[in-house]
Amino acid sequence: MAKSSRRAFLSVTAAAAAAPLVAGEARAGGVAPSRELRAILREIDPRRIEAIVRKLVSFGTRHTLSSQDDPVRGIGAARDWIFAELQRYAATSNQRMTVELQSFVQPVSPRVPVPTTITNVIATLRGSVTPERTYVVTGHYDSRVTDVMDAVKDAPGADDDASGVAVAMELARVMATRRPEATIVFAAVAGEEQGLYGSDHMAQVYRDRGTDIQAMFSNDIVGTGDAHDGTRPANRTVRLFVEGVPTSETAAEATTRKSVGGENDGPSRQLGRFVKDVEPEGTDVRVIWRRDRYLRGSDHISFLLRGYPAARFTEPRENFAHEHQDVRVENGIQYGDLIEFCDFDYIARVARVNAAVLWSLAEAPGTPRGVVIDTTQLTNETTLRWELGTEPDLAGYEVVWRETTAPDWEHSRAVGKVTTVTIDLSKDNVFFGVRALDKDGHRSPVAAPKPSS
Ligand SMILES: [Zn+2]
């Protein structure tokens, strides 16, 4: 369903079904951007994005095994430039943004022949209200050519993945002066092409610290809507890969899922639905219900492995002659990940999608916790329970539901600032979820209930 008609449908449904306990409550999806978000979207600048991509390409190669101390060429020079640039943005943040080099030594592994220092460059903008709640956006700054072990040849990596790094950095610049309620992390990770090593380390550090990451987005190959292969460009489309059954699902969780369903209600799927609700005008997120493309992966998988909701943005149609290829002309075809194939207006559009998503997540309450559906008795109604959120501007909750065969939420009911509700619909016949609202009408992603006594 088109966005406009879906929104209209939802507002009618909500008005009919709701006991309106939240002032001004009208819509259940399709959120108009706030004044501050509109300003953020305006400030995202294609020329700055171009400058970042050009600078990253200028290091010749950013291969993970390339020089760490040559000031001009190699991944070390790229690392130092990204760090300095992010520090410059952080200087405008009134101490709220901190920038770190997160280094570790990757032991010998299939694509790492000698122990190698890998460094993620991480800018953290501390939340002003609930700083423990964290959202993460990444691009990877390492690059490669045809031979994944070749650290010498030119590997411009303009699309893969200077484009994604430019998204994360431009968001850091624009948001540094602002005060999101939750914490937002903007990271350029490395070691991706050798085996997702940088993001793997980063996600594990967060897991070890018990960091509450409620969403993570990898931007990887977001350079153009034009595949340069004779097909029609799709300059407003960006794909979002979101898994269904969680990568981190335990055997016990699988047993429950096999019993009552829920393949389409993992936390990453809910994130995909949230993205569609807040995508800005002029962009079309094509949500794809799989973890990633065939034969490929990206840094979101490192977060999925640790049980964090995560997804991957990527351009609508790839040209594989422009990825992971030596720069060369063969049979009249230009191979290589060259900057001439990038469209900076397109990358800016992808950055705006990310901005709308991250800002909306950070301004809304966190995803409800401990949501359960009462399964102690055979009844033809549904009792849901959850934990009360701690956000000071928390206004209440909405219960959403849909036919089991429907892709997206179809109905919503505001239920007020409560932690349990009984709905006169059979839990056997529809899928339910719960989301939180704040006093400004910002909605959290939906949490699907687990069966509980
Ligand atoms: Zn990549």
Side-chain angles (χ1 to χ4, degrees):
M1 210 183 299
K3 181 160 51 177
S4 55
S5 58
R6 191 181 77 220
R7 287 175 183 177
F9 171 70
L10 283 168
S11 35
V12 169
T13 313
L21 298 174
V22 179
E25 176 54 34
R27 292 183 310 182
V31 181
S34 66
R35 175 196 290 262
E36 188 162 33
L37 176 53
R38 289 201 304 275
I40 288 169
L41 298 177
R42 272 197 306 274
E43 285 173 35
I44 291 170
D45 184 349
R47 285 162 303 176
R48 286 185 175 269
I49 285 170
E50 176 174 359
I52 293 167
V53 176
R54 282 197 188 286
K55 187 68 185 180
L56 290 170
V57 168
S58 78
F59 298 113
T61 177
R62 305 186 306 276
H63 195 283
T64 295
L65 306 174
S66 64
S67 173
Q68 308 244 354
D69 47 24
D70 184 315
V72 179
R73 185 179 175 89
I75 194 164
R79 170 201 65 210
D80 292 348
W81 179 77
I82 295 166
F83 182 56
E85 191 69 5
L86 289 174
Q87 283 184 308
R88 215 163 59 74
Y89 306 159
T92 69
S93 75
N94 200 10
Q95 321 279 325
R96 283 172 300 109
M97 180 181 278
T98 52
V99 186
E100 64 176 305
L101 293 172
Q102 182 186 64
S103 294
F104 64 100
V105 176
Q106 175 63 36
V108 172
S109 36
R111 293 178 171 188
V112 178
V114 294
T116 301
T117 299
I118 294 177
T119 303
N120 302 319
V121 193
I122 303 174
T124 302
L125 181 60
R126 187 177 161 80
S128 60
V129 181
T130 51
E132 63 285 355
R133 184 160 58 93
T134 303
Y135 301 97
V136 177
V137 60
T138 69
H140 71 84
Y141 71 97
D142 62 311
S143 65
R144 63 168 286 186
V145 289
T146 306
D147 175 3
V148 71
M149 305 304 283
D150 185 333
V152 175
K153 279 200 201 89
D154 274 353
D159 194 347
D160 185 10
D161 182 35
S163 65
V165 174
V167 166
M169 291 179 69
E170 179 64 354
L171 294 183
R173 182 186 72 82
V174 170
M175 291 187 181
T177 56
R178 297 185 155 87
R179 302 174 64 85
E181 292 178 20
T183 293
I184 305 178
V185 174
F186 313 86
V189 299
E192 197 269 353
E193 303 291 7
Q194 308 313 111
L196 310 181
Y197 291 124
S199 60
D200 189 76
H201 178 78
M202 182 179 173
Q204 187 60 44
V205 168
Y206 282 130
R207 188 81 275 173
D208 292 346
R209 286 183 197 152
T211 305
D212 179 21
I213 295 175
Q214 298 203 359
M216 180 275 182
F217 296 92
S218 169
N219 284 265
D220 194 356
I221 311 180
V222 291
T224 177
D226 183 352
H228 301 275
D229 61 358
T231 58
R232 183 200 293 256
N235 289 323
R236 303 194 173 278
T237 304
V238 61
R239 289 183 291 171
L240 181 69
F241 283 83
V242 286
E243 70 175 16
V245 174
T247 292
S248 61
E249 185 181 71
T250 64
E253 289 164 345
T255 300
T256 301
R257 177 175 53 76
K258 287 169 192 167
S259 168
V260 295
E263 300 82 6
N264 198 5
D265 281 279
S268 299
R269 262 309 135 74
Q270 309 301 353
L271 214 49
R273 296 186 176 109
F274 181 91
V275 169
K276 285 304 286 181
D277 275 347
V278 301
E279 65 179 342
E281 290 297 322
T283 58
D284 181 25
V285 178
R286 180 173 182 181
V287 176
I288 297 185
W289 282 352
R290 44 168 51 114
R291 190 171 73 174
D292 211 319
R293 301 103 75 232
Y294 285 101
L295 304 174
R296 293 290 176 88
S298 185
D299 296 304
H300 61 306
I301 294 173
S302 298
F303 286 75
L304 293 172
L305 284 165
R306 272 86 184 176
Y308 292 128
R312 183 235 176 110
F313 285 110
T314 200
E315 63 194 30
R317 179 184 170 93
E318 291 160 87
N319 185 327
F320 299 103
H322 299 165
E323 295 175 12
H324 301 188
Q325 293 281 352
D326 292 346
V327 179
R328 68 193 190 279
V329 177
E330 209 173 274
N331 299 324
I333 296 169
Q334 176 71 64
Y335 288 83
D337 192 350
L338 298 168
I339 196 164
E340 66 205 60
F341 298 120
C342 283
D343 172 351
F344 307 108
D345 289 324
Y346 178 84
I347 301 172
R349 230 168 267 135
V350 174
R352 288 189 195 104
V353 172
N354 278 267
V357 171
L358 290 165
W359 193 256
S360 301
L361 286 166
E363 294 303 278
T367 308
R369 291 181 193 279
V371 183
V372 295
I373 192 162
D374 188 317
T375 55
T376 53
Q377 296 175 60
L378 295 169
T379 67
N380 284 310
E381 55 188 21
T382 302
T383 296
L384 296 159
R385 290 191 296 275
W386 56 91
E387 294 166 19
L388 190 66
T390 54
E391 294 85 357
D393 61 347
L394 181 70
Y397 293 89
E398 279 179 354
V399 172
V400 295
W401 66 93
R402 65 179 200 274
E403 279 292 302
T404 61
T405 52
D408 202 356
W409 302 113
E410 296 176 317
H411 310 275
S412 101
R413 183 177 298 177
V415 298
K417 198 168 177 177
V418 298
T419 56
T420 183
V421 69
T422 297
I423 305 272
D424 188 19
L425 286 169
S426 169
K427 56 189 169 294
D428 299 319
N429 296 349
V430 296
F431 284 131
F432 280 102
V434 178
R435 63 186 166 203
L437 288 97
D438 73 9
K439 295 194 166 103
D440 298 319
H442 299 121
R443 291 174 173 81
S444 75
V446 168
K450 297 188 189 321
S452 170
S453 50

